[in-house]
Amino acid sequence: MRLDAPVSRFDPSSGPVVLPWLILFAGLCAVYVPSFVGLFNGIWSTDRQAHGPIMLGVALWLLYFKARSLAHAGIRIAPAHAAGWPVLICGLLFYVLGRSQSFIFFEVASLIPVLLGVVLIFFGRDAAKRLWFVFFFLLFVIPLPGSVVDAMTQPMKILVSYLAEHVLYWLGYPVARAGVVISIGPYQLLVADACAGLNSLFTLEALGLLYMNVVRHESVFRNAALALLIIPISLASNVTRVMVLSLITYHLGDAAGRSFLHGFSGMALFLTALLLIMGTDSLLRKFTGARSKNAAMRRLQGKSVGHET
């Protein structure tokens, strides 16, 4: 007995096709809006996981963008009930477990199998394959457990403090460090969690992957190299932020370092990091292009030598 429904074509102007999307949107809002409201009022309002709202906004935009492209692609609709219902039920069980036990990790993570199951039930495997990057990107929305954040943040704070201290010392400033406290002149600065770089690391990594998905590079080396280079770019941007705030405090006083310049420096350096990612991608494009050209030349030379022989 076959459980999958008959095949039809995806017509965005068709009422039966629009209705499932409306049902999907209304159902997801009814179930998950309370969860995200709790996040906005909880850990997302702190410096520990402040990247969450940005990731959620980008994920919603990505879902809308991919859904529109799906509608115009004219793919076939073949609801896969046999695959979709087990995935949906597992996702709902995760949600119930997380909601009842106040385990926000399970509660938010359940959105991925729930969304995947609904797409399979309404639209089938072809639509799910087209939306695979949306499901992957939603991983960045899931809040990390506090123990994981603590384990990752403290070493990053020490590394950022260490690098900032040595660069400032090399530039000739009177600077010293004790743990994550930097002393410059008569002032002391505590490298907080926000300056450790965990938020910017997750945000930049997610946006870098989104950038690669949009531009659709064919080179596996280029994609892998850019994804790895985002890590030192994020680290460098946070070291620069700590240095800038230290210099502002040293030259303009403690009040200036705590003013709007503190938040502005974070935004400015985040935008700088995005520009560095794009610049790095351009360099990788030239490198991979030159390497591909050299490989093609070697193949042609090999063929010509073989032909002469």
Side-chain angles (χ1 to χ4, degrees):
M1 178 178 178
R2 187 177 178 81
L3 297 178
D4 291 352
V7 175
S8 61
R9 284 290 168 183
F10 196 110
D11 181 7
S13 63
S14 172
V17 172
V18 174
L19 182 60
W21 284 107
L22 295 177
I23 295 174
L24 171 61
F25 179 75
L28 290 175
C29 286
V31 175
Y32 287 100
V33 163
S35 301
F36 287 112
V37 168
L39 286 174
F40 275 107
N41 294 327
I43 58 176
W44 280 1
S45 62
T46 67
D47 291 336
R48 295 173 64 85
Q49 300 193 43
H51 64 279
I54 300 175
M55 295 296 96
L56 178 61
V58 175
L60 291 175
W61 172 85
L62 183 62
L63 177 61
Y64 173 76
F65 175 78
K66 292 291 186 180
R68 282 182 60 86
S69 64
L70 195 68
H72 294 289
I75 67 168
R76 66 173 189 169
I77 298 178
H81 297 286
W85 280 111
V87 175
L88 176 60
I89 292 172
C90 287
L92 291 175
L93 289 176
F94 267 97
Y95 175 82
V96 171
L97 176 63
R99 188 71 174 174
S100 62
Q101 302 301 316
S102 298
F103 195 2
I104 195 65
F105 179 84
F106 278 1
E107 188 175 343
V108 178
S110 67
L111 176 62
I112 300 175
V114 166
L115 185 60
L116 174 59
V118 172
V119 170
L120 287 169
I121 291 170
F122 280 128
F123 305 107
R125 292 181 175 87
D126 287 348
K129 290 178 181 178
R130 296 287 187 107
L131 295 174
W132 74 268
F133 188 74
V134 177
F135 305 132
F136 170 76
F137 194 86
L138 284 171
L139 292 173
F140 291 96
V141 179
I142 302 172
L144 296 174
S147 58
V148 175
V149 175
D150 292 337
M152 297 176 65
T153 299
Q154 188 62 24
M156 292 182 69
K157 288 168 62 175
I158 294 175
L159 179 59
V160 168
S161 305
Y162 175 85
L163 294 175
E165 176 211 3
H166 279 72
V167 174
L168 288 172
Y169 180 80
W170 178 75
L171 293 175
Y173 284 92
V175 62
R177 179 182 61 89
V180 294
V181 177
I182 295 178
S183 299
I184 181 166
Y187 304 103
Q188 287 187 334
L189 294 90
L190 173 66
V191 178
D193 292 349
C195 297
L198 185 62
N199 292 328
S200 58
L201 175 60
F202 276 101
T203 305
L204 290 172
E205 191 67 41
L207 294 181
L209 294 174
L210 176 62
Y211 170 77
M212 287 186 287
N213 182 259
V214 172
V215 298
R216 295 183 179 276
H217 296 322
E218 294 182 358
S219 172
V220 177
F221 170 80
R222 182 177 173 183
N223 290 330
L226 183 59
L228 291 175
L229 287 173
I230 290 174
I231 297 176
I233 288 174
S234 174
L235 177 63
S237 67
N238 282 280
V239 171
T240 305
R241 181 188 183 188
V242 172
M243 290 173 53
V244 168
L245 290 175
S246 299
L247 293 176
I248 290 174
T249 303
Y250 179 74
H251 290 288
L252 301 179
D254 186 64
R258 297 176 182 271
S259 66
F260 77 97
L261 293 174
H262 187 279
F264 178 77
S265 65
M267 181 61 67
L269 290 172
F270 179 76
L271 294 177
T272 302
L274 288 178
L275 294 176
L276 284 175
I277 291 175
M278 295 179 183
T280 302
D281 184 49
S282 298
L283 293 176
L284 289 173
R285 175 174 57 83
K286 293 180 180 180
F287 176 77
T288 54
R291 193 175 67 166
S292 300
K293 184 177 180 180
N294 292 334
M297 291 288 292
R298 286 195 296 268
R299 286 196 297 269
L300 288 175
Q301 291 174 358
K303 289 182 179 179
S304 61
V305 171
H307 179 71
E308 292 174 359
T309 304

